[in-house]
Amino acid sequence: MSGVHRLNRAALGALPPASRPRVDPAGLRTRIVHFGIGAFHRAHQALYTENAAARSGEPWGIAAVAPRSAATADALRAQDCLYSVTERGPEGGVPRVVGALTGACLLGRDRAVVDGLLTDPEVTVVTLTITEKGYRATGPDTVIARLAAGLAARMRAGAAPVSVVSCDNMADNGAVLRTAIQGAVRASGARDQERVLELIDRSVAFPATVVDRIVPATTTADLADTATRLGVHDALPVSGEPYRQWVLEDRFAAPRPAWELDGALLVPDVAPYQLTKLRLLNGSHSALAPLGIAAGRTTVADAMADGWGERLVKALCAEVAPTLPDGGPDPGRYADDLVARFRNPAMGHLLRQIASDGSLKITERWLPALRLLRERGAATPVLELALAGWVNLTRDQDIPDPAQEALAACWRTAADDTAVVRALLTAVGAPDLADDPALVTAVVRHLPALRAGHVDI
């Protein structure tokens, strides 16, 4: 990009005032380690942390660790760990540079740096956005393995307590993370593993959380627009919808940023918020994606522009609402908010991006509610349609999925659509649903229309 300077600290003074960081990056200290420096973290937790630091006057900085992408870590370092976030409403938005990151490194290449951060007593919070599959990955240079090793070293050194906060879309994400860490400590074979586990239980908190903000993939048009608006080239801009939410279980073992100063909710139990978000928002996204792709649509807003999109979201929310616990948002108002958010044409949230890793997502977002409703004898027509959309999409080998080979084998070996549906449900760990003839028949009934590009609801 000839003639345009790179975003870095030296360029901050020339930025429009509204686009400058809310804190002085040079004044921050590394007190948080974050695993997973993708777009969502940069548009969500990092933003909350910078705003909390600005409003409290406390110098909370984040050392970010990329599990695999050396390119992202290196690009951040080349920009003094600065990047921009644009809030995209229907009328567009102004990019704002975020200065919350104090460092960026790569998990395997910079192992010694990561281990040092995890044992640093100044670090009192560790956060993670590694997606659902990151908690199942095995090997010495996975996030869970390195984090478990770092926490074990921290416990052996008698360092300060720490809170480890999952920010991924999973039910009971704090408990899932705790179990994964315990499993990794046991798998290490260390002689003192029982003492380490006891110390972790005593000195490490794993609060549950709910995170929410739609953050679409960055496009080449976004890169060009950001450079024009900032007057400098940002290699890593992100954008997000105006809406954002962070709900945290108020159970921390050590100091944390005052995230509530930026609107985060600290609550005794996140489950009602967690299940509402997981089953309504994430569940609706996972339904819109395969159905929209079948209908030839590209983005969420495109799908919502069709009459069936709004009907789908509202009907799915109404169908699943009886499975939600008391104490969370009102499902009807929540559904209305989703319709407004999904219609936002400025987002460009790609359906194929949402559809990735579907075999993992539907087991969290749809299947528990589906089981509960069918046990109660309730009708499940919308979830049946959504399942048919997912079944239809599993033929597409260009959409990433950790179970891709197993899903493809279901299509190769099954004799007909009924056998395919049963095989796919079994492959994602739902043999009970595969053995539900009425459910399988209902799913199969939708497939011809979807193959023809029609969504009937």
Side-chain angles (χ1 to χ4, degrees):
M1 193 167 286
S2 177
V4 179
H5 297 293
R6 181 189 295 274
L7 174 64
N8 54 32
R9 290 188 186 180
L12 291 179
L15 296 179
S19 294
R20 296 172 190 168
R22 301 297 186 266
V23 296
D24 175 7
L28 299 180
R29 299 207 310 269
T30 299
R31 301 180 67 182
I32 300 173
V33 174
H34 179 79
F35 290 94
I37 52 178
F40 184 79
H41 168 70
R42 286 180 278 134
H44 191 273
Q45 298 96 34
L47 199 62
Y48 274 98
T49 298
E50 180 178 81
N51 290 343
R55 289 169 178 161
S56 68
E58 298 177 348
W60 289 92
I62 304 168
V65 181
R68 292 174 302 278
S69 178
T72 301
D74 293 344
L76 276 170
R77 282 206 301 269
Q79 297 186 169
D80 296 331
C81 295
L82 300 172
Y83 64 92
S84 65
V85 176
T86 300
E87 184 176 288
R88 295 201 182 277
E91 294 80 32
V94 175
R96 161 189 163 184
V97 173
V98 177
L101 303 188
T102 55
C105 57
L106 185 65
L107 182 63
R109 182 185 67 194
D110 303 316
R111 177 187 285 199
V113 174
V114 175
D115 289 348
L117 287 167
L118 292 174
T119 55
D120 185 346
E122 278 253 302
V123 170
T124 56
V125 178
V126 177
T127 54
L128 300 89
T129 50
I130 57 174
T131 75
E132 293 95 326
K133 63 186 175 184
Y135 297 80
R136 305 181 186 184
T138 58
D141 278 328
T142 62
V143 170
I144 295 301
R146 295 311 317 145
L147 177 54
L151 290 175
R154 187 181 182 102
M155 296 302 100
R156 293 183 183 114
V162 63
S163 301
V164 184
V165 186
S166 169
C167 301
D168 285 299
N169 289 319
M170 299 181 296
D172 300 320
N173 54 7
V176 169
L177 177 55
R178 181 195 301 112
T179 299
I181 293 298
Q182 290 170 337
V185 171
R186 290 192 176 96
S188 71
R191 292 183 179 179
D192 63 344
Q193 63 179 257
E194 291 306 320
R195 173 162 170 73
V196 167
L197 288 168
E198 178 186 333
L199 291 171
I200 288 175
D201 191 54
R202 185 187 309 164
S203 300
V204 183
F206 296 90
T209 67
V210 181
V211 295
D212 191 1
R213 190 178 201 184
I214 297 171
V215 180
T218 300
T219 66
T220 53
D222 294 332
L223 286 165
D225 181 63
T226 301
T228 298
R229 290 175 179 271
L230 287 178
V232 294
H233 174 58
D234 177 7
L236 292 167
V238 293
S239 62
E241 65 173 329
Y243 180 94
R244 58 188 170 94
Q245 182 191 54
W246 197 3
V247 186
L248 302 106
E249 181 184 10
D250 194 6
R251 187 169 62 86
F252 287 80
R256 59 165 179 82
W259 289 309
E260 62 271 30
L261 294 180
D262 193 39
L265 299 178
L266 277 293
V267 299
D269 181 14
V270 306
Y273 297 89
Q274 195 170 57
L275 283 176
T276 298
K277 194 250 179 173
L278 193 69
R279 294 182 179 175
L280 301 194
L281 184 146
N282 299 132
S284 293
H285 258 167
S286 285
L288 281 168
L291 295 174
I293 291 169
R297 303 299 176 255
T298 303
T299 68
V300 171
D302 292 339
M304 294 300 291
D306 288 344
W308 63 265
E310 179 174 344
R311 291 197 301 274
L312 176 77
V313 172
K314 289 190 171 181
L316 179 64
C317 291
E319 184 170 295
V320 172
T323 72
L324 301 175
D326 294 333
D330 175 79
R333 286 198 294 271
Y334 195 91
D336 290 340
D337 288 343
L338 289 182
V339 169
R341 293 169 64 189
F342 291 172
R343 278 179 172 166
N344 184 349
M347 293 308 298
H349 201 180
L350 297 176
L351 295 172
R352 295 182 76 85
Q353 177 192 6
I354 297 167
S356 66
D357 300 336
S359 66
L360 294 179
K361 291 174 179 175
I362 70 165
T363 60
E364 287 279 339
R365 300 174 181 188
W366 297 345
L367 302 191
L370 181 62
R371 289 187 176 99
L372 190 55
L373 289 168
R374 297 188 75 80
E375 285 169 6
R376 295 174 180 175
T380 56
V382 191
L383 286 169
E384 291 159 9
L385 172 61
L387 265 177
W390 171 74
V391 167
N392 185 57
L393 193 66
T394 58
R395 296 180 303 167
D396 188 337
Q397 293 297 292
D398 292 329
I399 294 184
D401 195 295
Q404 202 161 55
E405 291 184 12
L407 301 179
C410 296
W411 285 99
R412 287 196 306 270
T413 60
D416 54 25
D417 285 348
T418 296
V420 167
V421 172
R422 294 190 64 188
L424 287 169
L425 287 170
T426 301
V428 297
D432 55 323
L433 298 176
D435 289 336
D436 182 335
L439 173 65
V440 172
T441 299
V443 171
V444 169
R445 193 180 300 124
H446 287 292
L447 292 176
L450 293 176
R451 287 172 183 147
H454 302 303
V455 179
D456 298 321
I457 183 169

mmCIF file of all heavy atoms in Angstrom, residues 13 31 71 88 103-104 143 147 181 209 270 273 331 389 397 431:
data_model
loop_
_atom_site.group_PDB
_atom_site.id
_atom_site.type_symbol
_atom_site.label_atom_id
_atom_site.label_comp_id
_atom_site.label_asym_id
_atom_site.label_seq_id
_atom_site.Cartn_x
_atom_site.Cartn_y
_atom_site.Cartn_z
ATOM 1 N N GLY A 13 -0.305 9.876 17.188
ATOM 2 C CA GLY A 13 -0.568 11.307 17.300
ATOM 3 C C GLY A 13 -1.225 11.905 16.075
ATOM 4 O O GLY A 13 -1.907 12.940 16.160
ATOM 5 N N ARG A 31 -0.731 -7.934 32.801
ATOM 6 C CA ARG A 31 -1.382 -8.558 33.957
ATOM 7 C C ARG A 31 -2.385 -9.629 33.531
ATOM 8 O O ARG A 31 -2.978 -10.298 34.373
ATOM 9 C CB ARG A 31 -2.070 -7.481 34.797
ATOM 10 C CG ARG A 31 -1.085 -6.409 35.296
ATOM 11 C CD ARG A 31 -1.751 -5.332 36.119
ATOM 12 N NE ARG A 31 -2.248 -5.843 37.385
ATOM 13 C CZ ARG A 31 -2.905 -5.104 38.283
ATOM 14 N NH1 ARG A 31 -3.125 -3.822 38.044
ATOM 15 N NH2 ARG A 31 -3.333 -5.635 39.404
ATOM 16 N N ALA A 71 1.594 -15.692 11.632
ATOM 17 C CA ALA A 71 1.368 -14.475 10.853
ATOM 18 C C ALA A 71 0.642 -13.424 11.676
ATOM 19 O O ALA A 71 0.979 -12.232 11.619
ATOM 20 C CB ALA A 71 0.574 -14.810 9.589
ATOM 21 N N ARG A 88 -19.827 -1.499 13.375
ATOM 22 C CA ARG A 88 -20.554 -1.355 12.124
ATOM 23 C C ARG A 88 -22.066 -1.371 12.349
ATOM 24 O O ARG A 88 -22.674 -2.422 12.511
ATOM 25 C CB ARG A 88 -20.156 -2.457 11.142
ATOM 26 C CG ARG A 88 -18.693 -2.364 10.724
ATOM 27 C CD ARG A 88 -18.422 -3.086 9.431
ATOM 28 N NE ARG A 88 -17.007 -3.023 9.063
ATOM 29 C CZ ARG A 88 -16.453 -1.994 8.435
ATOM 30 N NH1 ARG A 88 -17.192 -0.952 8.107
ATOM 31 N NH2 ARG A 88 -15.162 -2.009 8.141
ATOM 32 N N GLY A 103 1.822 -7.418 24.227
ATOM 33 C CA GLY A 103 2.722 -8.344 23.561
ATOM 34 C C GLY A 103 1.944 -9.361 22.769
ATOM 35 O O GLY A 103 0.746 -9.554 22.985
ATOM 36 N N ALA A 104 2.629 -10.028 21.831
ATOM 37 C CA ALA A 104 2.015 -11.079 21.026
ATOM 38 C C ALA A 104 3.085 -12.115 20.730
ATOM 39 O O ALA A 104 4.197 -11.782 20.321
ATOM 40 C CB ALA A 104 1.451 -10.511 19.731
ATOM 41 N N VAL A 143 -2.945 -25.503 23.591
ATOM 42 C CA VAL A 143 -3.190 -24.498 24.627
ATOM 43 C C VAL A 143 -3.415 -25.159 25.975
ATOM 44 O O VAL A 143 -2.849 -24.736 27.000
ATOM 45 C CB VAL A 143 -4.392 -23.616 24.243
ATOM 46 C CG1 VAL A 143 -4.806 -22.739 25.431
ATOM 47 C CG2 VAL A 143 -4.063 -22.749 23.045
ATOM 48 N N LEU A 147 -1.043 -24.527 29.120
ATOM 49 C CA LEU A 147 -1.652 -23.851 30.267
ATOM 50 C C LEU A 147 -1.567 -24.723 31.507
ATOM 51 O O LEU A 147 -1.240 -24.233 32.600
ATOM 52 C CB LEU A 147 -3.105 -23.501 29.941
ATOM 53 C CG LEU A 147 -3.924 -22.839 31.054
ATOM 54 C CD1 LEU A 147 -3.237 -21.589 31.590
ATOM 55 C CD2 LEU A 147 -5.324 -22.496 30.547
ATOM 56 N N ILE A 181 -8.004 -28.992 32.198
ATOM 57 C CA ILE A 181 -6.719 -28.731 32.860
ATOM 58 C C ILE A 181 -6.364 -29.883 33.794
ATOM 59 O O ILE A 181 -5.207 -30.357 33.820
ATOM 60 C CB ILE A 181 -6.772 -27.400 33.634
ATOM 61 C CG1 ILE A 181 -6.896 -26.216 32.668
ATOM 62 C CG2 ILE A 181 -5.543 -27.243 34.528
ATOM 63 C CD1 ILE A 181 -5.722 -26.054 31.723
ATOM 64 N N THR A 209 -18.510 -17.970 31.928
ATOM 65 C CA THR A 209 -18.782 -16.696 31.270
ATOM 66 C C THR A 209 -19.743 -16.887 30.099
ATOM 67 O O THR A 209 -19.924 -17.997 29.595
ATOM 68 C CB THR A 209 -17.496 -16.055 30.704
ATOM 69 O OG1 THR A 209 -17.009 -16.856 29.629
ATOM 70 C CG2 THR A 209 -16.431 -15.914 31.759
ATOM 71 N N VAL A 270 -24.221 -17.821 35.816
ATOM 72 C CA VAL A 270 -24.365 -17.386 34.423
ATOM 73 C C VAL A 270 -25.241 -18.334 33.607
ATOM 74 O O VAL A 270 -25.551 -18.039 32.446
ATOM 75 C CB VAL A 270 -23.000 -17.260 33.715
ATOM 76 C CG1 VAL A 270 -22.058 -16.352 34.500
ATOM 77 C CG2 VAL A 270 -22.360 -18.626 33.468
ATOM 78 N N TYR A 273 -28.125 -17.024 31.400
ATOM 79 C CA TYR A 273 -27.627 -16.216 30.285
ATOM 80 C C TYR A 273 -26.919 -17.100 29.257
ATOM 81 O O TYR A 273 -27.048 -16.916 28.053
ATOM 82 C CB TYR A 273 -26.660 -15.153 30.792
ATOM 83 C CG TYR A 273 -27.274 -14.149 31.723
ATOM 84 C CD1 TYR A 273 -27.318 -14.360 33.096
ATOM 85 C CD2 TYR A 273 -27.814 -12.958 31.232
ATOM 86 C CE1 TYR A 273 -27.880 -13.431 33.955
ATOM 87 C CE2 TYR A 273 -28.369 -12.017 32.082
ATOM 88 C CZ TYR A 273 -28.409 -12.261 33.442
ATOM 89 O OH TYR A 273 -28.968 -11.340 34.285
ATOM 90 N N PRO A 331 -37.127 -14.478 26.643
ATOM 91 C CA PRO A 331 -36.878 -15.077 25.325
ATOM 92 C C PRO A 331 -37.542 -14.321 24.174
ATOM 93 O O PRO A 331 -36.975 -14.233 23.080
ATOM 94 C CB PRO A 331 -37.448 -16.494 25.463
ATOM 95 C CG PRO A 331 -37.405 -16.782 26.927
ATOM 96 C CD PRO A 331 -37.683 -15.465 27.598
ATOM 97 N N GLY A 389 -31.075 -29.049 7.465
ATOM 98 C CA GLY A 389 -30.118 -28.134 6.850
ATOM 99 C C GLY A 389 -28.692 -28.575 7.091
ATOM 100 O O GLY A 389 -27.851 -28.568 6.172
ATOM 101 N N GLN A 397 -17.749 -30.640 1.183
ATOM 102 C CA GLN A 397 -16.449 -30.921 1.794
ATOM 103 C C GLN A 397 -15.553 -29.692 1.886
ATOM 104 O O GLN A 397 -14.430 -29.776 2.383
ATOM 105 C CB GLN A 397 -15.738 -32.017 1.005
ATOM 106 C CG GLN A 397 -16.414 -33.368 1.096
ATOM 107 C CD GLN A 397 -16.439 -33.912 2.520
ATOM 108 O OE1 GLN A 397 -15.409 -34.254 3.081
ATOM 109 N NE2 GLN A 397 -17.615 -33.958 3.134
ATOM 110 N N PRO A 431 -26.563 -41.310 19.174
ATOM 111 C CA PRO A 431 -27.232 -42.539 18.724
ATOM 112 C C PRO A 431 -28.668 -42.636 19.223
ATOM 113 O O PRO A 431 -29.503 -43.272 18.578
ATOM 114 C CB PRO A 431 -26.351 -43.648 19.312
ATOM 115 C CG PRO A 431 -25.656 -43.009 20.478
ATOM 116 C CD PRO A 431 -25.429 -41.598 20.068
#
